[in-house]
C-alpha cells in the first residue's frame, strides 16, 4: 500500500504559529551519520518526479518552503553544497586584452 505525502504529514507534530526552535535544537542533530533507508529513497524518487514536472517558479517556491522548515545546521550543509555551483570564473569572462594583467 502506497502512502501519499498528505497522509504522512498528518502524523507529524505541528508547531504553534510563530514557534522558534531553541538554539540547542538547531545544533543537536547536525552530524549524525545518515542511515540507509529504502523508504526514504523511494519517497525521494517520488518527490523528485513531482518536482521535475513543476514550472521553475513552482520549484523555487517549493524549495523556499523546504528551507523555511530546516534547521541552522541543515542550512549550513545546503550552503556548502551550493557554494561550488554558484562560483563563477569571472576572469574568463573578461575581454582578452585584460588577460595581460592577470
Amino acid at each position: 500500500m502506497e502512502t501519499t505525502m498528505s497522509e504522512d504529514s498528518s502524523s507529524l507534530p505541528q508547531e504553534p504559529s510563530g514557534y522558534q526552535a531553541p538554539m540547542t535544537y538547531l545544533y543537536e542533530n547536525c552530524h549524525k551519520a545518515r542511515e540507509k533507508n529504502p523508504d526514504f529513497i523511494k519517497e525521494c524518487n517520488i518527490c523528485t518526479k513531482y518536482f521535475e514536472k513543476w514550472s521553475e517558479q513552482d520549484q523555487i517556491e517549493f524549495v523556499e518552503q523546504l528551507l523555511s522548515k530546516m534547521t541552522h545546521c541543515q542550512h549550513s550543509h545546503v550552503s556548502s553544497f551550493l557554494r561550488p555551483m554558484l562560483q563563477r570564473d569571472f576572469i574568463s569572462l573578461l575581454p582578452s586584452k585584460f588577460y595581460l594583467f592577470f
Side-chain angles (χ1 to χ4, degrees), residues 63-79:
V63 171
E64 287 174 349
Q65 281 186 346
L66 285 177
L67 289 169
S68 72
K69 302 198 180 301
M70 294 170 65
T71 65
H72 177 77
C73 180
Q74 291 169 319
H75 289 154
S76 179
H77 183 81
V78 170
S79 178

Side-chain angles (χ1 to χ4, degrees), residues 17-71:
S17 178
Y19 175 79
Q20 196 167 10
M23 290 302 286
T24 53
Y25 175 77
L26 296 176
Y27 297 98
E28 191 174 347
N29 297 317
C30 273
H31 301 291
K32 286 190 176 180
R34 184 186 183 298
E35 295 178 18
K36 293 182 180 179
N37 181 340
D39 289 337
F40 167 78
I41 294 169
K42 179 182 173 186
E43 291 168 0
C44 187
N45 288 334
I46 292 169
C47 290
T48 301
K49 287 178 184 176
Y50 277 116
F51 185 84
E52 290 170 345
K53 291 179 183 180
W54 298 335
S55 69
E56 185 173 340
Q57 186 60 41
D58 289 342
Q59 291 174 348
I60 290 168
E61 290 174 18
F62 178 73
V63 171
E64 287 174 349
Q65 281 186 346
L66 285 177
L67 289 169
S68 72
K69 302 198 180 301
M70 294 170 65
T71 65

